Amino acid sequence: MGSGKRLKKLRKLAELGQRLPLPSGPSPLQAPLDVASAFTRAWNTHDAKAIGKLFADDADFVNVVGLWWTSRRSIRRALARGFEGWFAGSTFTVEKLSQRLLGPDAAVVIARWRIEGQRDPDGEPADTRRGLATVVLQRLEDGTWLCVSWHNTDIAAAADTNLVRAGVVTPTSYLTPLPEPAHAEDRAGE
Protein backbone atom coordinates (compact mmCIF):
# COMPACT_ATOMS: atom_id res chain seq x y z
CA MET A 1 0.00 0.00 0.00
CA GLY A 2 1.37 3.42 -0.95
CA SER A 3 2.14 6.00 1.70
CA GLY A 4 -0.72 8.24 0.53
CA LYS A 5 -3.29 5.43 0.80
CA ARG A 6 -1.86 4.37 4.17
CA LEU A 7 -2.11 7.93 5.48
CA LYS A 8 -5.74 8.19 4.33
CA LYS A 9 -6.52 4.89 6.05
CA LEU A 10 -4.84 6.08 9.26
CA ARG A 11 -6.79 9.36 9.18
CA LYS A 12 -10.04 7.48 8.66
CA LEU A 13 -9.26 5.18 11.62
CA ALA A 14 -8.39 8.21 13.75
CA GLU A 15 -11.70 9.88 12.85
CA LEU A 16 -13.53 6.74 13.94
CA GLY A 17 -11.65 6.73 17.24
CA GLN A 18 -10.11 3.34 16.50
CA ARG A 19 -6.61 2.37 17.55
CA LEU A 20 -4.16 0.55 15.34
CA PRO A 21 -3.57 -3.06 16.33
CA LEU A 22 -0.59 -3.77 18.55
CA PRO A 23 2.24 -5.66 16.92
CA SER A 24 2.31 -9.38 17.62
CA GLY A 25 5.69 -9.05 19.36
CA PRO A 26 8.04 -9.86 20.73
CA SER A 27 8.86 -6.65 22.52
CA PRO A 28 11.98 -6.27 24.68
CA LEU A 29 9.81 -6.06 27.82
CA GLN A 30 9.17 -9.32 29.67
CA ALA A 31 7.37 -7.58 32.57
CA PRO A 32 5.89 -4.07 33.04
CA LEU A 33 8.66 -2.88 35.37
CA ASP A 34 11.25 -3.75 32.69
CA VAL A 35 10.23 -0.52 30.97
CA ALA A 36 12.28 1.47 33.50
CA SER A 37 15.57 -0.35 32.98
CA ALA A 38 15.11 -0.62 29.20
CA PHE A 39 14.31 3.10 28.86
CA THR A 40 17.24 4.02 31.12
CA ARG A 41 19.72 1.88 29.13
CA ALA A 42 18.50 3.34 25.84
CA TRP A 43 18.56 6.94 27.13
CA ASN A 44 22.05 6.59 28.58
CA THR A 45 23.38 5.29 25.24
CA HIS A 46 21.33 7.99 23.45
CA ASP A 47 19.59 5.32 21.36
CA ALA A 48 16.24 6.70 20.20
CA LYS A 49 15.62 3.55 18.10
CA ALA A 50 15.87 1.36 21.21
CA ILE A 51 13.42 3.64 23.01
CA GLY A 52 11.08 3.42 20.02
CA LYS A 53 11.02 -0.38 20.30
CA LEU A 54 9.39 -0.04 23.73
CA PHE A 55 6.29 1.60 22.21
CA ALA A 56 3.28 0.48 20.18
CA ASP A 57 3.10 1.89 16.66
CA ASP A 58 0.28 4.23 17.75
CA ALA A 59 1.57 5.01 21.24
CA ASP A 60 1.07 8.39 22.89
CA PHE A 61 3.91 10.28 24.59
CA VAL A 62 3.34 13.57 26.40
CA ASN A 63 6.51 15.38 27.43
CA VAL A 64 6.98 17.74 30.40
CA VAL A 65 5.78 20.83 28.50
CA GLY A 66 2.75 19.15 26.98
CA LEU A 67 4.08 18.24 23.54
CA TRP A 68 2.06 15.20 22.48
CA TRP A 69 3.64 12.69 20.12
CA THR A 70 1.19 10.14 18.72
CA SER A 71 3.28 7.38 17.18
CA ARG A 72 6.39 5.29 17.73
CA ARG A 73 7.98 7.13 14.82
CA SER A 74 7.31 10.62 16.23
CA ILE A 75 8.55 9.56 19.69
CA ARG A 76 11.75 8.18 18.18
CA ARG A 77 12.28 11.30 16.03
CA ALA A 78 11.72 13.72 18.91
CA LEU A 79 14.12 11.87 21.20
CA ALA A 80 16.74 11.52 18.45
CA ARG A 81 16.63 15.28 17.99
CA GLY A 82 17.09 15.78 21.74
CA PHE A 83 20.00 13.33 21.86
CA GLU A 84 21.71 15.26 19.04
CA GLY A 85 21.24 18.54 20.93
CA TRP A 86 20.22 19.42 24.46
CA PHE A 87 20.31 15.83 25.81
CA ALA A 88 23.67 14.88 24.24
CA GLY A 89 25.81 13.54 27.08
CA SER A 90 22.89 13.48 29.53
CA THR A 91 22.12 10.62 31.91
CA PHE A 92 18.74 9.31 33.02
CA THR A 93 18.27 7.60 36.39
CA VAL A 94 15.17 6.01 37.90
CA GLU A 95 14.97 6.82 41.62
CA LYS A 96 11.67 5.16 42.57
CA LEU A 97 9.29 2.76 40.85
CA SER A 98 5.77 1.42 41.35
CA GLN A 99 3.49 -0.86 39.37
CA ARG A 100 -0.25 -1.50 39.35
CA LEU A 101 -1.69 -4.34 37.29
CA LEU A 102 -5.05 -3.53 35.70
CA GLY A 103 -6.04 -7.11 34.97
CA PRO A 104 -3.90 -9.69 33.19
CA ASP A 105 -3.11 -7.58 30.11
CA ALA A 106 -2.63 -3.99 31.30
CA ALA A 107 -0.40 -2.22 33.79
CA VAL A 108 0.49 1.27 34.97
CA VAL A 109 4.08 1.98 36.00
CA ILE A 110 5.06 5.20 37.74
CA ALA A 111 8.75 6.11 37.82
CA ARG A 112 10.42 9.03 39.56
CA TRP A 113 13.37 10.01 37.37
CA ARG A 114 16.40 12.31 37.34
CA ILE A 115 18.17 13.80 34.30
CA GLU A 116 21.69 15.18 34.63
CA GLY A 117 23.78 16.75 31.90
CA GLN A 118 21.06 18.55 29.94
CA ARG A 119 22.24 21.69 28.11
CA ASP A 120 20.46 25.02 27.79
CA PRO A 121 19.91 26.68 24.37
CA ASP A 122 23.38 28.27 24.61
CA GLY A 123 25.00 24.87 25.24
CA GLU A 124 25.67 25.60 28.91
CA PRO A 125 25.07 22.93 31.56
CA ALA A 126 21.64 23.02 33.22
CA ASP A 127 20.81 21.95 36.75
CA THR A 128 19.63 18.43 37.53
CA ARG A 129 15.95 17.83 36.73
CA ARG A 130 13.61 15.45 38.50
CA GLY A 131 10.23 14.28 37.33
CA LEU A 132 7.65 11.52 37.16
CA ALA A 133 6.67 9.29 34.29
CA THR A 134 3.29 7.56 34.19
CA VAL A 135 3.48 4.67 31.73
CA VAL A 136 0.59 2.49 30.54
CA LEU A 137 1.58 -0.91 29.15
CA GLN A 138 -0.33 -3.67 27.40
CA ARG A 139 0.56 -7.35 27.29
CA LEU A 140 0.96 -8.78 23.79
CA GLU A 141 -0.19 -12.21 22.65
CA ASP A 142 3.31 -13.64 23.18
CA GLY A 143 3.34 -12.47 26.83
CA THR A 144 5.72 -9.52 26.36
CA TRP A 145 4.70 -5.96 27.18
CA LEU A 146 4.59 -2.76 25.13
CA CYS A 147 4.08 0.91 26.11
CA VAL A 148 0.88 2.40 24.78
CA SER A 149 1.12 5.70 26.67
CA TRP A 150 3.84 7.66 28.49
CA HIS A 151 3.37 10.97 30.30
CA ASN A 152 6.21 12.97 31.89
CA THR A 153 5.87 15.66 34.53
CA ASP A 154 8.69 17.74 35.96
CA ILE A 155 8.80 17.98 39.76
CA ALA A 156 8.70 21.62 40.87
CA ALA A 157 10.14 21.70 44.39
CA ALA A 158 8.04 23.47 47.05
CA ALA A 159 5.13 24.06 44.65
CA ASP A 160 1.48 22.99 44.79
CA THR A 161 0.45 24.02 41.29
CA ASN A 162 1.39 26.23 38.36
CA LEU A 163 0.16 29.74 37.62
CA VAL A 164 0.16 31.33 34.18
CA ARG A 165 0.68 35.07 33.88
CA ALA A 166 1.41 36.77 30.57
CA GLY A 167 1.93 33.33 29.04
CA VAL A 168 4.63 32.33 31.53
CA VAL A 169 4.10 29.17 33.60
CA THR A 170 5.45 29.52 37.14
CA PRO A 171 5.44 26.81 39.83
CA THR A 172 3.62 28.28 42.82
CA SER A 173 2.79 27.32 46.40
CA TYR A 174 -0.35 28.23 48.32
CA LEU A 175 1.07 26.91 51.58
CA THR A 176 2.00 29.46 54.22
CA PRO A 177 5.76 29.41 54.77
CA LEU A 178 6.90 28.22 58.17
CA PRO A 179 8.43 30.91 60.41
CA GLU A 180 12.20 31.02 60.50
CA PRO A 181 13.60 29.20 63.55
CA ALA A 182 15.02 31.44 66.23
CA HIS A 183 18.81 31.28 66.35
CA ALA A 184 20.78 31.03 69.58
CA GLU A 185 22.30 34.49 69.11
CA ASP A 186 18.80 35.97 68.72
CA ARG A 187 17.74 34.46 72.06
CA ALA A 188 20.89 35.60 73.91
CA GLY A 189 19.57 39.15 74.33
CA GLU A 190 16.23 38.02 75.79
Side-chain angles (χ1 to χ4, degrees):
M1 177 183 314
S3 62
K5 288 183 180 181
R6 185 173 175 347
L7 185 59
K8 284 182 183 179
K9 183 178 179 180
L10 289 173
R11 283 188 179 143
K12 187 173 183 175
L13 287 172
E15 289 169 5
L16 297 173
Q18 295 178 357
R19 303 295 279 181
L20 297 172
L22 289 170
S24 59
S27 101
L29 305 175
Q30 299 302 309
L33 288 177
D34 290 349
V35 69
S37 57
F39 188 91
T40 299
R41 271 192 312 275
W43 182 286
N44 291 338
T45 58
H46 304 104
D47 188 346
K49 287 182 182 180
I51 290 176
K53 291 178 183 178
L54 305 175
F55 289 89
D57 287 337
D58 65 339
D60 294 301
F61 190 111
V62 179
N63 82 352
V64 296
V65 295
L67 294 178
W68 183 4
W69 304 311
T70 57
S71 70
R72 172 190 289 167
R73 181 175 180 245
S74 62
I75 295 165
R76 185 179 61 237
R77 285 178 36 187
L79 289 172
R81 182 171 174 238
F83 292 149
E84 291 170 3
W86 54 94
F87 290 128
S90 66
T91 59
F92 183 91
T93 305
V94 173
E95 298 179 326
K96 185 176 181 182
L97 206 51
S98 75
Q99 167 185 287
R100 178 176 295 248
L101 294 175
L102 306 173
D105 297 325
V108 174
V109 170
I110 298 178
R112 186 174 65 211
W113 51 259
R114 179 178 75 239
I115 294 176
E116 296 173 294
Q118 181 176 349
R119 300 286 178 167
D120 72 12
D122 296 323
E124 296 298 318
D127 292 344
T128 298
R129 284 180 44 209
R130 286 185 166 76
L132 295 167
T134 303
V135 187
V136 179
L137 298 106
Q138 184 169 354
R139 186 192 312 256
L140 303 177
E141 289 178 11
D142 66 359
T144 60
W145 293 80
L146 203 55
C147 296
V148 295
S149 181
W150 184 296
H151 185 265
N152 275 327
T153 302
D154 269 318
I155 295 172
D160 305 317
T161 188
N162 289 318
L163 288 179
V164 178
R165 291 199 173 114
V168 177
V169 178
T170 305
T172 305
S173 178
Y174 288 93
L175 298 177
T176 305
L178 295 174
E180 292 292 321
H183 298 319
E185 61 270 4
D186 295 336
R187 289 181 283 179
E190 294 177 358

